[in-house]
Amino acid sequence: MKDTLLKIKSEALAALAAENADIETLRIKYLGKKGELTAVLRGMGKLTPEERPVIGQLANDVRAEIEAEIEKMSASAKTAALEAKLKAEKLDVTVPGTKIPMGKCHPLALVQRQLEEIFLGMGYSIAEGPEVEYDYYNFQALNIPKDHPARDTQDTFYITENILLRSQTSPVQARVMENTQPPIKIISPGRVYRSDAVDATHSPLFHQCEGLVVDKGITMGDLKGTLEMFAKTMFGEDTRIRFRPHHFPFTEPSAEVDVSCFACGGKGCRLCKGEGWIEILGAGMVHPNVLRMCNIDPEVYSGFAFGLGVERIVMLKYHIDDMRHLYENDIRFLHQF
Ligand code: DAH
């Protein structure tokens, strides 16, 4: 029995010392309830009274030694595991961080927001209309019948003979007036389309912002005051505006409106091509025919309207010399705003 115990001890210690020893399995094998050492102790009954304490002592010693070795092994395994973990999770706080790319507002959206803010501040609301529009709203309701020459400058994309991609935001005027009795005070920013070839100042898709005010006693003075306020907020306090007579079928009288060049203050420079003035929009008093077609009585009400090109404002404000930059989504360009 003594030999068996010593054999168990040397085997157990050897197994524990082996590389990749599975400590838990070995513990069960040698010390467990069904383990080898327990089996030997069960046979103690067969020993003589003299032998019993001697073998008992030896068995206890063997158990203690194996236990101590197991203890030692599992402690060092734990330390090794912790060390490996710490090594794997090592954090170098001096390494520069990874940049999280931040999006920016597109210059067109930026200016559209500014426009909205300026007019919301003056008590306007924002109206929207469809980009796929009826010929009726895009032209006819704006006093531009089928054969009118004004259609030539606004050639657009036709879906059917009577449905097209709107060539201007002005149809929103007609839609709003049809559904609302005055007072009306709206702006309507949005996309418009024309069958133009792409170049530095043209694109088949661009943006406009329409404005419309209809009420009793609205005059050209209101239009001037409103646009002056707008120009000063958008381009700077010193900005002046100038009206030049023009013709639009849906306004009478009509005007093209210029702002004093905010680059040179009106002296003449490259931006204003030596003129001192820059054209920014079309405007006028809503034509009585247009009011009448929208069921508003021109004997009682009058109104003004204006329409501006958002791209043009963006390009002027930020000195952009080619409209295509606005659509090409080159990050190097877009990051400058
Ligand atoms: N819709 C016109 C255009 O695209 C711009 C315009 C001019 C709008 C005069 C108006 C206006 O509301 O009154 O050229």
Side-chain angles (χ1 to χ4, degrees):
M1 205 163 219
K2 188 179 161 195
D3 290 346
T4 318
L5 284 170
L6 291 175
K7 199 174 148 234
I8 290 173
K9 181 176 123 179
S10 63
E11 263 181 31
L13 295 182
L16 282 166
E19 218 175 311
N20 296 329
D22 182 346
I23 296 162
E24 185 54 19
T25 311
L26 292 175
R27 192 187 63 74
I28 294 168
K29 180 170 183 218
Y30 292 105
L31 306 179
K33 269 187 198 157
K34 290 173 187 165
E36 291 183 20
L37 196 60
T38 318
V40 174
L41 291 173
R42 283 216 180 95
M44 292 268 283
K46 286 179 202 142
L47 295 174
T48 63
E50 294 78 35
E51 279 174 322
R52 218 172 279 159
V54 180
I55 296 299
Q57 182 63 46
L58 182 62
N60 279 341
D61 290 350
V62 167
R63 165 178 281 275
E65 241 177 289
I66 298 173
E67 264 173 0
E69 189 60 20
I70 285 176
E71 192 72 12
K72 204 176 94 194
M73 295 296 290
S74 63
S76 70
K78 261 186 205 158
T79 319
L82 182 65
E83 254 164 34
K85 197 169 173 223
L86 286 176
K87 217 176 202 172
E89 290 175 5
K90 193 168 79 175
L91 189 68
D92 182 353
V93 292
T94 65
V95 170
T98 331
K99 251 199 176 165
I100 299 168
M102 279 274 278
K104 283 214 169 182
C105 199
H106 191 282
L108 277 169
L110 209 66
V111 165
Q112 184 172 319
R113 272 190 212 169
Q114 278 172 358
L115 278 167
E116 288 173 1
E117 246 163 62
I118 293 171
F119 284 101
L120 286 172
M122 290 197 259
Y124 286 64
S125 16
I126 295 171
E128 286 193 330
E131 290 170 30
V132 179
E133 184 56 286
Y134 288 109
D135 182 283
Y136 176 78
Y137 290 110
N138 196 76
F139 292 126
Q140 295 167 55
L142 297 170
N143 214 20
I144 311 173
K146 282 271 181 192
D147 51 0
H148 197 285
R151 289 188 177 223
D152 292 351
T153 56
Q154 300 216 5
D155 192 18
T156 180
F157 302 95
Y158 285 80
I159 287 153
T160 67
E161 208 178 298
N162 291 313
I163 299 175
L164 42 77
L165 297 186
R166 67 178 182 187
S167 62
Q168 47 186 348
T169 43
S170 305
V172 183
Q173 285 186 33
R175 284 181 171 272
V176 170
M177 284 192 280
E178 233 181 33
N179 289 316
T180 329
Q181 277 300 301
I184 294 169
K185 211 171 165 188
I186 56 112
I187 56 159
S188 185
R191 288 193 197 108
V192 299
Y193 303 82
R194 289 190 196 174
S195 61
D196 287 333
V198 175
D199 65 22
T201 52
H202 292 86
S203 159
L205 180 160
F206 58 105
H207 299 73
Q208 286 190 338
C209 183
E210 196 75 11
L212 173 71
V213 173
V214 185
D215 203 351
K216 284 177 182 159
I218 297 293
T219 69
M220 200 119 178
D222 297 311
L223 173 62
K224 279 191 129 171
T226 303
L227 292 180
E228 192 171 311
M229 176 83 172
F230 157 72
K232 284 181 187 297
T233 321
M234 185 57 96
F235 298 111
E237 205 35 51
D238 298 330
T239 311
R240 287 159 292 130
I241 58 168
R242 163 176 99 165
F243 278 49
R244 277 180 293 104
H246 196 75
H247 172 262
F248 296 106
F250 36 93
T251 41
E252 180 59 37
S254 303
E256 275 188 334
V257 180
D258 303 337
V259 290
S260 56
C261 179
F262 39 85
C264 64
K267 287 195 281 293
C269 67
R270 250 184 54 174
L271 186 70
C272 60
K273 301 197 177 80
E275 296 277 321
W277 295 94
I278 298 171
E279 184 213 321
I280 57 156
L281 55 83
M285 300 307 290
V286 181
H287 198 291
N289 285 354
V290 174
L291 292 173
R292 225 173 276 122
M293 274 187 276
C294 298
N295 302 318
I296 291 176
D297 186 351
E299 301 298 324
V300 180
Y301 294 106
S302 57
F304 67 73
F306 58 88
L308 56 84
V310 182
E311 275 79 356
R312 191 161 167 71
I313 308 275
V314 172
M315 291 171 74
L316 290 169
K317 239 188 117 123
Y318 298 113
H319 304 262
I320 298 165
D321 57 5
D322 193 321
M323 197 165 170
R324 286 168 286 203
H325 289 311
L326 296 173
Y327 310 116
E328 282 167 356
N329 287 335
D330 186 331
I331 299 275
R332 292 168 303 177
F333 170 77
L334 295 174
H335 258 289
Q336 298 173 48
F337 300 93

